[in-house]
Amino acid sequence: MNEYWIVKDRRSGRVICQCGDINDAIMMVGLDPNHRTYSRHRFIIDQVIDITSTTDKQLPGQIGLPSGKVDSLNSYQEKLPEADGIPVVV
């Protein structure tokens, strides 16, 4: 579908909304029929050209990230050291 409707205020010429369906435009005009109007507009369908790369090159100077080091995957299972202090009660 390559058409849409614009609802405008007749007094100021201000665009109130753009609708993809004529029934929506008619409903919007029906809210204030003395001061609103609608008109149909069409999209300009242009030619689409698909381009695919024939080579896979990188820009000069690009270096990938070094491999990371993982110390522990289950750090949540590690226990805190026992403390000799007095517990705080709030």
Side-chain angles (χ1 to χ4, degrees):
M1 179 165 240
N2 61 352
E3 58 188 11
Y4 63 99
W5 286 264
I6 293 181
V7 179
K8 289 185 178 182
D9 186 340
R10 286 184 184 161
R11 296 172 288 184
S12 65
R14 181 176 57 105
V15 174
I16 296 171
C17 66
Q18 297 176 351
C19 303
D21 186 36
I22 190 170
N23 295 322
D24 294 336
I26 292 171
M27 179 198 63
M28 290 300 295
V29 170
L31 295 174
D32 191 8
N34 295 328
H35 298 107
R36 292 184 181 177
T37 184
Y38 69 96
S39 58
R40 183 178 73 175
H41 298 268
R42 292 183 180 257
F43 292 112
I44 297 175
I45 305 296
D46 201 7
Q47 182 180 6
V48 177
I49 301 172
D50 290 331
I51 299 174
T52 57
S53 177
T54 57
T55 60
D56 186 22
K57 294 184 177 180
Q58 291 185 349
L59 294 174
Q62 288 184 337
I63 301 172
L65 294 175
S67 58
K69 295 181 182 178
V70 179
D71 294 333
S72 173
L73 293 176
N74 297 323
S75 62
Y76 63 90
Q77 293 178 350
E78 295 176 8
K79 292 185 178 181
L80 295 174
E82 293 293 329
D84 294 336
I86 301 171
V88 178
V89 179
V90 179

